[in-house]
Amino acid sequence: VKWIVPAGIYLSLCYGVSAAAFSIDEGSDGDISGIGAFPTSLTLQSGANSLVGSAGQLDFDIFHINITSPLAITQITLNQYSPSAGISFLGIQEGNTWTAGVGNGVSGSALIGWTLFGANNIGDDILPIANTTNNGASGFDIPLSAGDYVFLIQDTGSPISYDLSFTAAPVPVPAGVILFLSGLAGLLATCKFADNN
């Protein structure tokens, strides 16, 4: 039936497709890449996507997340962090490779956002505090919408461990788009009815 296709598009835009969120633990899944040209690629899905890892000194964690419409990252929550006195760096760059440098050579002007985080942030959503224009970063809109993003987690001191949740949810479709698709589906259904009579 001709009107099923636009109706399906309408529903997929409104609700997205459900699939399993990623759950990565360096302890069991292997080391996250430390090479900017070859970041670890993670497949974001709706819900809480979990990343558990460690970094420090020359151990950089660089990973790429592709956000596909209608999903967006609504928050990044720090669930655990150790040691209690540590403070680490999280940077966000657009694209699918990390070109902003590592260690003390990170270029703020190549980033869309960054933050320092530690045990004092356990339970916090650190996405809003990463949305900064300090040191030349461009800033970004929240939620973090569809596109390719590369993240760097690093600590130039002692090794640290972290547990982060990247929460993804469908971005609401604008009312005008919903109205248009509803009208289109109705029009096609009317045409089909007319063809059969």
Side-chain angles (χ1 to χ4, degrees):
V1 180
K2 294 178 182 177
W3 58 269
I4 291 177
V5 173
I9 294 171
Y10 164 75
L11 291 173
S12 68
L13 284 171
C14 292
Y15 302 107
V17 177
S18 178
F22 69 71
S23 180
I24 304 296
D25 187 332
E26 276 192 307
S28 56
D29 297 317
D31 195 37
I32 294 169
S33 175
I35 302 172
F38 303 101
T40 297
S41 286
L42 304 177
T43 303
L44 186 78
Q45 301 292 349
S46 185
N49 298 263
S50 173
L51 180 64
V52 178
S54 61
Q57 296 173 331
L58 298 179
D59 179 17
F60 307 110
D61 287 359
I62 304 174
F63 51 96
H64 161 244
I65 296 178
N66 172 254
I67 306 174
T68 56
S69 183
L71 291 180
I73 293 178
T74 58
Q75 60 184 29
I76 301 175
T77 305
L78 182 64
N79 302 310
Q80 294 294 332
Y81 181 94
S82 64
S84 59
I87 295 177
S88 302
F89 175 87
L90 178 142
I92 310 171
Q93 184 178 27
E94 287 185 311
N96 54 23
T97 60
W98 181 266
T99 62
V102 295
N104 293 323
V106 173
S107 170
S109 62
L111 306 179
I112 62 169
W114 64 273
T115 188
L116 299 176
F117 67 98
N120 289 341
N121 299 109
I122 291 174
D124 293 345
D125 175 10
I126 62 174
L127 185 61
I129 58 176
N131 182 17
T132 180
T133 56
N134 289 340
N135 293 332
S138 64
F140 54 87
D141 292 330
I142 297 175
L144 193 59
S145 59
D148 287 292
Y149 302 92
V150 186
F151 296 78
L152 166 68
I153 295 176
Q154 69 173 21
D155 194 294
T156 56
S158 301
I160 59 95
S161 61
Y162 61 87
D163 178 338
L164 289 167
S165 292
F166 294 76
T167 302
V171 175
V173 178
V177 174
I178 294 175
L179 185 61
F180 170 77
L181 291 174
S182 297
L184 182 61
L187 179 62
L188 291 174
T190 302
C191 291
K192 178 63 178 175
F193 179 77
D195 287 345
N196 291 335
N197 290 294

